[in-house]
Amino acid sequence: MPTSLLFGINTEGRVHTLSTSGTLWRELTYVGQEYKKLSAIPHFLWALGGDHQVYVYVHGLDIPIRVKEESYENERWIPIEGFSSRLLPTDRFHFSSADGTIDRQIDKIRLPSMAWQWEGDWQLDLTLDGQPLDHNGWTYAIDFPAQYYSKKQWKSCVRRRLWVRYRKYVAMNSWCAIAPLHKDATAEPFIDISIGGQNIAGADQGTMLVWAVTSHNRIMFRSGVSTKSPEGAKWHCVTVPGGCEVGQISVGSTGLVWAALLDGRALIRIGITRESLMGSVWVETRGPPNALRTMQISVGVCAVWAVTQDRKVWFRKSIKADTAEISEEMAVGYGWVEMVGNMSSVSVTGNDQVFAIGGEDRAIYFRTGIQNGDLTGKKWKCLHAPLQVSRASSSASLNRDKVNNGTRSTYSLNRPNSLCDTSGLSDVVDQSHSAPTSLPVGELGGRHFETQLKNPRAWSPVRSVGSIVGTEVHPESDASLWSDKQDSCIFAEDEELGWGEYEAPWSWIAAGACTIDPNQLPNWFMEQGAMTQTELDQPWRLQILEELRSRLINQSYKDIPLAVDTTSWVHIGEGRINLSGSAFVDCILQLEWVHTYGTLTVLNSDGATTMQQFSINEITCVQCCSEPGSPRLAIHTPNLNIPVIRIQFSSDSQMEEWQTHFTTVCREIYNTTGSPSKKSIWAVSSLGDSFIWDSKQLINLQEGNLHIQEIDLNRKLMPLKIPLYTNCVAGTVLTLTGYALCDANRFAINLNAYPTFKPKAKNYSELENCALHFNVRFEEDIVVRNSMIDGKWGEEERYGGNPFNRGKEFVIQFEFTSDNYIISVNDKKFCNYRHRLPSSACHLIDIWGKITLNKLQILTPNMILNPKEMIWRQIGGHLRTVESCVAGVIWAIGFDHTCWVYNGGWGGAFAGALNSNNVHSMSDIQDYRVYENQRWNPVTGYTSTGLPTDRYMWSDVTATYHANKHFTDYVRRRRWIRRCAVATTGPWIELGHTKLLDVSLTLLSNDEDSPIIVWALASGGQAMIRLDVSKSNPLGVKWEHVNSDKPLSSISCGPFNNVWAVATNGSAYMRLGIKVDLLQGNKWMCIEPPPGNPLKQISVNEIGVWALSCKGNLYIRKDISSGWPEGSCWQSFSVDPLIISNTQNSGTFKHVSVGTNEVWVTTDAGALLRRIGLSKENPTGTGWTSAIPGMWQHVSCRAF
């Protein structure tokens, strides 16, 4: 898991934080305000100050908070005057929102508070749906609620243009005050605050919920709080049932709200959804059964914990907060369970782990053993972490600690008052430490504690957000607030800090921003009996170990038999198999492994008849193809008459068991163990399974810088077609040996290119292409050379005679150069033939005539790769995309936009511990949405019975709808959403909390050890560049934000200075000014998309710039050169009819990946295609060849 933070408040009101990757408490910069309570989620803190007012703290964001303000300037055409700002009374405002309902006068749009700052002045947006506009930016329409166009027409009666301006949240890493409820802040102070709701199903990204309680026992809800607006908009009072006096409130990550009443009861807010963040109604439930007042409640996902007035800890059963919006029972739960231990407060993390503060000793405890099956845990364990204090800390506190240390050790954990269970007492008792040296009063390290703050006014809470409502901040009014020096650290300066290992009594703990893996706890705990390194290095211990080692020197294990013979075994099970492609039938599966050979036998249900039997060597991929309620595996055997065999099992566990066996035997046969090589291809299925094809087997066939393939042609009958699975670039040599029969009249060798398809009515016409027709004619005693282009033969070349003889052997050699073919016969040069088609277009050798062939040898600089025979190995994890680079550094993104970095391991998930290495726990979340459609009926009203021409009553999203019902509305729909989560393992390391949309990697130079440049897009479409990424440090150090006027949806980098991106409006952008000393560049250059085809994805590399449109069309940027890097135009591609006929429903493209010399794509039907015929002279290629069919949705060939 990535690094997260645990927050706490000590008894002095100072806020400290403890990182999961560290072992020391560090104090947040002190600005003169103490705090009583704290609530946290990742990157956002809300706190209750000593003055009982609310404060917000934003920290650790990789992307700055930027908001684009928009205002549309509207004009109407008036006769004689032309376009004028004088509008009709029924028209919208002169400056308005996009729908015209809100007045957006530019001079009235102000900064929300002093925490914001403008970035530049108002500017015109000069694009419309990706298409450029003129310098005035006007768009035209017949009327305002209509379609707008970039060109003025004779019927254009209105026009508008968009003004934009960005504002930035500059109060990062600072406490900012929220405006009080009344002008007199003491009239109704706050007594509690809670933040959560960051994981509400289906809610807008960045949504957060903030609830508070006032001294008048009123519950307040803060509207508009999000990652784009950390301080929110305003407070709303939420009415509670009569007779209910609220004392404390808590909100979980999924939005579930519990409130503790002063009489011991509790209220639960029902109906909190993405449409109604405030919920709809309160439900009352009883508190813990001891009838004492509930002091505090903390809400998690599947747990609610409470502390009563007698410091007892209670757990609420049967809570399911993620389904609380549709089930009241899941929100309320039933029954309280008393936990052992006395605590003063408790806090639940986002994954239901629990922290608490001891009731007597004020130490922080962690509840161990909490799992999905046991949410109550096992026992309490105390945290051990030294405390870093600021020099502004009061000397009184240090004096108190000095006195306390004389009677009680810093790490003395003998606390029976907080932990009453003697069974768990051994886990929190440590008598091996002596009391630390107490801190000197007034000095530490030769410097005074009491130092004057550098700038006590700068971002002081009383001058921050909301303290002056509606007032903009001006840089000239207080230069200290807008210093050019930006400090991203959330802690105090080093010279203001000292280290103190003394007892730190805590008053509050906030764990909402902390994510802990219960199986891999941080280094915060000290186990009983743990030995120090000094104890382990004692001479007597080392001597004993040495004597034990000496006994085993002469021991031989060769004669000891194996306990279990694993060289031969048989696994038998039942299932259902699909061989015909239509229906599944019952069968018995028998997988047999003997030493180094395996066989799969499929028998009918009674075991009497063999339905199918083949060697494991025929399997190239084992892929999960499950459907809801039907666990299935797809066994790919492309060289058999049934290329895909689908097997259905009775349960997921049975499927995973067979998947493990298949993967194990395939790994033994193909020797695909260990870490993959750098030059590999990654692919991801629609189910989130990641696969890798390792190029090590092809590299082993390499001779020097050339790749060789020998094909045995003995006993092959004529005519013969031999596919060429390589680009025949300059340097390729084809050598064919054989002999002509005595009665041969002629024979021919054709180097065929990919056919040309031209549309013809509703079909296509296929036009053949032949790069070289080599025809030996014995009756004419000549050899004819020719080419066919688009089905038409060219001019023949007949000179040179005939070097062939009937009944004799021959050796023909075709050598490819940049200009021509050099043809040699029997080791003697015969002729040259100039290229009429690009040589790289050759993809098939077609041989016919009365000859017998012995062997074909292919020698080429490029890899020889048959996509259908590629061996795919599954790597554990659940991912959406994977991106690679030639240095072997791999990044991936999950469905929840979490970024993962490959650590070089293998296995995970179904593979089990024995077949895995260096795997970690992983989790992923995905939302599924479906639309319910209804049509209005004059008799019954809206009904689910539609017209025959209507869509399905449950369908995906199409068309455009509005929120309010109109008189002319005859149909309606609503969206249903359900969130699912998966927990698995894989060789991946989570990278921070920043969510990513896309990522791309490239090297700074051609050296594999050079730094790696990583460009990425945050979840809001902001461009970023990752610094200090290398082979030795694949995670890098930090993100650097790169400004862009438009939110981006896709980004790709080829050579380090070639970065392209696609905006959400469909236009392409190229980054200019990228240098070695300025990797982020200086500005974006807009590139028009193809007309009528806004782009959605782009991939860039040395071979070119390829892009994918929203309609699934594929394009390449033409005429790109060093002097003209933006190119000239877009050239489109289509899925060839041959591919459509071989792959069902593959009509459009889904994803494209561009490598150094490779282009791979996936189609909407899940097919995986490779572009053939690519070369520097022909960067567009000539055609497609398909790999194994499957549910492929993503591919990355950037390392290949």
Coordinates of all heavy atoms in Angstrom, one line a residue, residues 70-108:
E70 N -15.8 30.0 -16.3 CA -16.3 30.2 -17.6 C -17.4 31.3 -17.7 O -18.3 31.3 -16.7 CB -16.8 28.9 -18.2 CG -15.7 27.9 -18.4 CD -16.3 26.6 -19.0 OE1 -17.5 26.5 -19.1 OE2 -15.5 25.8 -19.4
S71 N -17.5 32.0 -18.7 CA -18.6 33.0 -18.9 C -18.8 33.1 -20.4 O -17.8 33.4 -21.2 CB -18.2 34.4 -18.3 OG -19.3 35.3 -18.6
Y72 N -20.0 32.9 -20.9 CA -20.4 33.0 -22.3 C -20.9 34.4 -22.6 O -21.9 34.8 -21.9 CB -21.4 31.9 -22.6 CG -20.8 30.5 -22.7 CD1 -20.7 29.7 -21.6 CD2 -20.3 30.0 -23.9 CE1 -20.2 28.4 -21.7 CE2 -19.8 28.7 -24.0 CZ -19.7 28.0 -22.9 OH -19.2 26.7 -23.0
E73 N -20.3 35.0 -23.5 CA -20.8 36.3 -24.0 C -21.8 36.1 -25.2 O -21.4 35.5 -26.2 CB -19.6 37.2 -24.5 CG -20.1 38.5 -24.9 CD -18.9 39.4 -25.4 OE1 -17.7 38.9 -25.4 OE2 -19.1 40.5 -25.8
N74 N -23.0 36.5 -25.0 CA -24.1 36.2 -25.9 C -24.5 37.5 -26.7 O -24.6 38.6 -26.1 CB -25.3 35.6 -25.2 CG -25.0 34.4 -24.4 OD1 -24.5 33.4 -24.9 ND2 -25.1 34.6 -23.0
E75 N -24.8 37.4 -28.0 CA -25.2 38.5 -28.8 C -26.3 38.0 -29.8 O -26.3 36.8 -30.2 CB -24.1 39.1 -29.5 CG -23.1 39.9 -28.6 CD -22.0 40.6 -29.4 OE1 -22.0 40.4 -30.7 OE2 -21.3 41.4 -28.8
R76 N -27.2 38.9 -30.1 CA -28.2 38.6 -31.1 C -28.1 39.5 -32.3 O -27.8 40.7 -32.1 CB -29.6 38.7 -30.5 CG -30.8 38.4 -31.4 CD -32.1 38.4 -30.7 NE -32.3 37.2 -30.0 CZ -32.7 36.0 -30.5 NH1 -32.9 35.9 -31.8 NH2 -32.8 35.0 -29.8
W77 N -28.4 39.0 -33.5 CA -28.4 39.8 -34.7 C -29.6 40.7 -34.7 O -30.8 40.2 -34.6 CB -28.3 39.0 -35.9 CG -28.1 39.8 -37.2 CD1 -26.9 40.3 -37.7 CD2 -29.1 40.1 -38.1 NE1 -27.2 40.9 -38.8 CE2 -28.5 40.9 -39.1 CE3 -30.5 39.9 -38.1 CZ2 -29.2 41.4 -40.2 CZ3 -31.2 40.4 -39.2 CH2 -30.6 41.1 -40.2
I78 N -29.4 42.0 -34.9 CA -30.5 42.9 -35.1 C -30.4 43.6 -36.4 O -29.3 44.1 -36.8 CB -30.5 44.0 -33.9 CG1 -30.6 43.3 -32.6 CG2 -31.6 45.0 -34.1 CD1 -30.5 44.2 -31.4
P79 N -31.5 43.8 -37.1 CA -31.4 44.4 -38.4 C -30.8 45.8 -38.3 O -31.0 46.5 -37.3 CB -32.9 44.5 -38.9 CG -33.5 43.4 -38.2 CD -32.8 43.3 -36.9
I80 N -30.0 46.2 -39.3 CA -29.3 47.5 -39.4 C -28.1 47.5 -38.5 O -27.0 47.8 -38.9 CB -30.2 48.7 -39.1 CG1 -31.4 48.7 -40.0 CG2 -29.4 50.0 -39.1 CD1 -32.4 49.8 -39.7
E81 N -28.3 47.1 -37.2 CA -27.2 47.1 -36.2 C -26.2 46.0 -36.4 O -25.0 46.1 -36.1 CB -27.7 47.2 -34.8 CG -28.5 48.4 -34.4 CD -28.9 48.4 -33.0 OE1 -28.3 47.6 -32.2 OE2 -29.8 49.2 -32.6
G82 N -26.7 44.8 -36.8 CA -25.9 43.6 -36.8 C -26.0 43.0 -35.5 O -26.9 43.1 -34.7
F83 N -24.9 42.2 -35.1 CA -24.9 41.6 -33.9 C -24.7 42.6 -32.7 O -23.8 43.4 -32.8 CB -23.7 40.5 -33.8 CG -24.1 39.3 -34.5 CD1 -23.6 39.0 -35.8 CD2 -24.9 38.3 -34.0 CE1 -23.9 37.8 -36.5 CE2 -25.2 37.1 -34.6 CZ -24.8 36.9 -35.9
S84 N -25.5 42.5 -31.7 CA -25.5 43.4 -30.6 C -25.7 42.7 -29.3 O -26.3 41.6 -29.2 CB -26.6 44.5 -30.9 OG -26.8 45.3 -29.7
S85 N -25.3 43.4 -28.3 CA -25.4 42.9 -26.9 C -26.8 43.2 -26.4 O -27.2 42.7 -25.3 CB -24.4 43.5 -26.0 OG -24.5 44.9 -25.9
R86 N -27.6 43.9 -27.1 CA -29.0 44.1 -26.7 C -29.8 42.9 -27.1 O -30.1 42.6 -28.3 CB -29.6 45.4 -27.4 CG -28.9 46.7 -27.0 CD -29.7 47.9 -27.4 NE -29.8 48.0 -28.9 CZ -31.0 47.9 -29.6 NH1 -32.1 47.7 -28.9 NH2 -31.0 48.0 -30.9
L87 N -30.3 42.2 -26.1 CA -31.0 40.9 -26.3 C -32.4 41.1 -26.1 O -32.9 42.0 -25.5 CB -30.4 39.8 -25.4 CG -28.9 39.6 -25.5 CD1 -28.4 38.6 -24.4 CD2 -28.5 39.0 -26.8
L88 N -33.2 40.0 -26.5 CA -34.6 40.0 -26.3 C -34.9 39.8 -24.8 O -34.1 39.2 -24.1 CB -35.3 39.0 -27.2 CG -35.1 39.2 -28.7 CD1 -35.8 38.0 -29.4 CD2 -35.7 40.5 -29.2
P89 N -36.1 40.2 -24.4 CA -36.5 39.9 -22.9 C -36.5 38.4 -22.6 O -36.3 38.1 -21.5 CB -37.8 40.6 -22.8 CG -37.9 41.6 -23.9 CD -37.1 41.0 -25.0
T90 N -36.8 37.6 -23.6 CA -36.8 36.2 -23.4 C -35.5 35.5 -23.5 O -35.4 34.3 -23.3 CB -37.8 35.5 -24.4 OG1 -37.4 35.9 -25.7 CG2 -39.2 36.0 -24.1
D91 N -34.5 36.3 -24.0 CA -33.2 35.7 -24.1 C -32.4 35.5 -22.8 O -32.9 36.0 -21.8 CB -32.3 36.6 -25.1 CG -32.7 36.4 -26.5 OD1 -33.3 35.4 -26.8 OD2 -32.4 37.3 -27.3
R92 N -31.3 34.9 -22.9 CA -30.5 34.7 -21.7 C -29.7 36.0 -21.4 O -29.8 37.0 -22.1 CB -29.5 33.6 -21.9 CG -28.6 33.8 -23.2 CD -27.9 32.5 -23.5 NE -28.8 31.4 -23.8 CZ -28.4 30.1 -23.9 NH1 -27.1 29.8 -23.8 NH2 -29.2 29.2 -24.2
F93 N -28.9 36.0 -20.3 CA -28.1 37.1 -19.9 C -27.0 37.4 -21.0 O -26.6 36.5 -21.7 CB -27.5 36.9 -18.6 CG -28.5 36.7 -17.5 CD1 -28.8 35.4 -17.0 CD2 -29.1 37.7 -16.8 CE1 -29.7 35.2 -16.0 CE2 -30.0 37.5 -15.8 CZ -30.3 36.2 -15.4
H94 N -26.5 38.7 -21.0 CA -25.5 39.0 -21.9 C -24.2 38.1 -21.6 O -23.6 37.6 -22.5 CB -25.1 40.5 -21.7 CG -24.0 40.9 -22.7 ND1 -23.2 42.0 -22.4 CD2 -23.6 40.5 -23.9 CE1 -22.3 42.2 -23.4 NE2 -22.6 41.3 -24.3
F95 N -23.9 38.0 -20.3 CA -22.8 37.1 -19.9 C -23.5 36.0 -19.1 O -24.1 36.4 -18.0 CB -21.7 37.8 -19.2 CG -20.8 38.6 -20.0 CD1 -21.1 39.9 -20.3 CD2 -19.6 38.0 -20.6 CE1 -20.2 40.7 -21.1 CE2 -18.8 38.8 -21.4 CZ -19.1 40.1 -21.6
S96 N -23.4 34.8 -19.4 CA -24.2 33.7 -18.8 C -23.4 32.4 -18.7 O -22.2 32.3 -19.2 CB -25.5 33.5 -19.5 OG -25.2 32.8 -20.8
S97 N -24.0 31.4 -18.0 CA -23.4 30.1 -18.0 C -23.7 29.4 -19.4 O -24.3 30.0 -20.2 CB -24.0 29.3 -16.9 OG -25.4 29.3 -17.0
A98 N -23.3 28.2 -19.5 CA -23.4 27.5 -20.8 C -24.9 27.3 -21.2 O -25.2 27.5 -22.3 CB -22.7 26.2 -20.7
D99 N -25.7 27.1 -20.2 CA -27.2 26.9 -20.5 C -27.9 28.2 -20.4 O -29.2 28.2 -20.7 CB -27.8 25.9 -19.5 CG -27.6 26.3 -18.1 OD1 -27.1 27.3 -17.8 OD2 -28.1 25.5 -17.2
G100 N -27.3 29.3 -20.1 CA -27.9 30.6 -20.1 C -28.8 30.9 -18.9 O -29.4 32.0 -18.8
T101 N -28.8 30.1 -17.9 CA -29.7 30.3 -16.7 C -29.1 31.1 -15.6 O -29.8 31.6 -14.7 CB -30.1 28.9 -16.2 OG1 -28.9 28.2 -15.8 CG2 -30.9 28.1 -17.2
I102 N -27.7 31.3 -15.6 CA -27.1 32.0 -14.5 C -26.3 33.2 -15.1 O -25.7 33.1 -16.2 CB -26.0 31.1 -13.8 CG1 -26.8 29.8 -13.3 CG2 -25.3 31.8 -12.7 CD1 -25.8 28.8 -12.7
D103 N -26.5 34.3 -14.4 CA -25.8 35.6 -14.8 C -24.3 35.4 -14.5 O -24.0 35.2 -13.3 CB -26.4 36.8 -14.2 CG -25.8 38.1 -14.6 OD1 -25.0 38.1 -15.6 OD2 -26.2 39.1 -14.1
R104 N -23.4 35.6 -15.4 CA -22.0 35.4 -15.2 C -21.2 36.6 -15.7 O -20.3 36.5 -16.5 CB -21.5 34.2 -15.9 CG -22.1 32.9 -15.4 CD -21.5 32.4 -14.2 NE -20.1 32.0 -14.4 CZ -19.3 31.6 -13.4 NH1 -19.7 31.7 -12.1 NH2 -18.0 31.3 -13.6
Q105 N -21.6 37.8 -15.2 CA -20.9 39.0 -15.5 C -19.4 38.9 -15.1 O -19.1 38.5 -14.0 CB -21.5 40.2 -14.9 CG -22.8 40.7 -15.4 CD -22.7 41.3 -16.8 OE1 -21.7 41.8 -17.2 NE2 -23.8 41.2 -17.6
I106 N -18.5 39.2 -16.0 CA -17.1 38.9 -15.7 C -16.6 39.8 -14.5 O -15.9 39.3 -13.7 CB -16.3 39.2 -17.0 CG1 -16.5 38.1 -18.0 CG2 -14.8 39.3 -16.7 CD1 -15.8 38.3 -19.3
D107 N -17.1 41.0 -14.5 CA -16.6 41.8 -13.4 C -17.2 41.5 -12.0 O -16.8 42.0 -11.0 CB -16.9 43.3 -13.7 CG -18.4 43.5 -13.9 OD1 -19.2 42.5 -14.1 OD2 -18.9 44.7 -14.0
K108 N -18.2 40.6 -12.0 CA -18.8 40.1 -10.8 C -18.3 38.7 -10.3 O -18.7 38.3 -9.3 CB -20.3 40.0 -10.9 CG -21.0 41.4 -11.2 CD -22.5 41.2 -11.2 CE -23.2 42.6 -11.5 NZ -24.7 42.4 -11.6

